[in-house]
Amino acid sequence: MSERMVHIVDDDDAMRESLSFLLDVRGHAHRTYPQARSLLDREQDLEPGCIVTDVRMPGLSGLDLLRRIRTLELPHPVIVITGHADVSMAVEAMKAGAWDFLEKPFDDQVFIRLVEGALAAPAAAMAPAGGASVDTPEWLSRLSPRERDVLAGVAAGQSNKEIARDLEISARTVEVYRANLMSKAGVRTLSDLMRLALAAGY
């Protein structure tokens, strides 16, 4: 059994039970909370580990919880679960210091991989990516002007359709550019691409 705790915050009973089952199978200790306030009430006694929270909840949202956790300077990395239409919220969460985000519906193994990565993450990895000062990475210098435009749209949380409208190209063309971006950056997920974009100052 892992000594570090996975704290799951979600107002959906079925989701909490599903995630609990997955963590049980992998032998990870965990606690569940039906709302953000329930977790915050335990801030003084919150076991070390990571926090997984849905972004859309009544009362305090997942973003509200994330900001509160950062204000309290809790060391827990936070994984934010978002819906398909919540790309802008995912970007906002990353800028607010989320360790990563997971878009529903998601594969069980992807969830476990993210959780195990968060449990192993050093404290330095939890700072908001946007605050990092880094040299221009090699992959960024290889982007075409249009790829940079698309990357800026991705970092701003725009959908493919929104980027296409702003750049006056087709959504399909944006998909191609985004695939090229991910290939050049050496990443497989949108969250990894966003993390790199924010670290690069986008």
Side-chain angles (χ1 to χ4, degrees):
M1 179 71 72
S2 171
E3 295 181 358
R4 292 168 68 78
M5 186 75 67
V6 181
H7 302 275
I8 301 170
V9 187
D10 201 309
D11 62 309
D12 185 324
D13 294 344
M15 179 61 78
R16 290 199 309 276
E17 290 175 8
S18 174
L19 298 183
S20 290
F21 175 77
L22 290 176
L23 293 169
D24 275 336
V25 169
R26 292 301 294 256
H28 290 294
H30 60 278
R31 290 184 185 275
T32 62
Y33 309 81
Q35 57 184 344
R37 182 59 59 193
S38 302
L39 180 140
L40 292 174
D41 286 345
R42 297 191 65 245
E43 68 170 275
Q44 298 297 328
D45 304 305
L46 205 61
E47 299 90 344
C50 70
I51 296 168
V52 178
T53 179
D54 192 21
V55 72
R56 291 188 182 275
M57 295 184 292
L60 289 176
S61 70
L63 283 176
D64 293 331
L65 174 60
L66 174 60
R67 293 187 183 106
R68 181 64 178 155
I69 287 168
R70 293 300 163 245
T71 298
L72 294 170
E73 298 185 347
L74 296 178
H76 303 65
V78 180
I79 298 171
V80 176
I81 298 176
T82 70
H84 181 65
D86 294 332
V87 177
S88 61
M89 284 191 173
V91 174
E92 194 173 346
M94 296 290 280
K95 288 182 177 178
W99 188 81
D100 214 327
F101 74 91
L102 190 59
E103 186 179 76
K104 294 185 285 190
F106 50 81
D107 182 80
D108 294 350
Q109 292 306 310
V110 172
F111 169 73
I112 291 297
R113 188 165 62 247
L114 278 184
V115 165
E116 292 180 345
L119 289 174
M126 294 165 223
S133 176
V134 296
D135 294 330
T136 301
E138 188 270 339
W139 70 271
L140 195 59
S141 66
R142 292 189 287 115
L143 300 185
S144 69
R146 185 61 88 189
E147 286 171 339
R148 286 175 179 270
D149 289 339
V150 171
L151 181 61
V154 169
Q158 292 182 304
S159 67
N160 285 352
K161 287 184 178 179
E162 289 171 330
I163 296 172
R165 183 191 63 228
D166 289 350
L167 299 181
E168 298 182 345
I169 56 179
S170 72
R172 175 59 187 152
T173 300
V174 173
E175 290 179 10
V176 173
Y177 279 127
R178 197 165 86 172
N180 289 344
L181 285 170
M182 294 174 75
S183 176
K184 288 183 178 181
V187 298
R188 290 196 228 173
T189 68
L190 182 59
S191 63
D192 286 339
L193 182 61
M194 285 183 181
R195 190 192 306 280
L196 291 179
L198 294 172
Y202 276 81

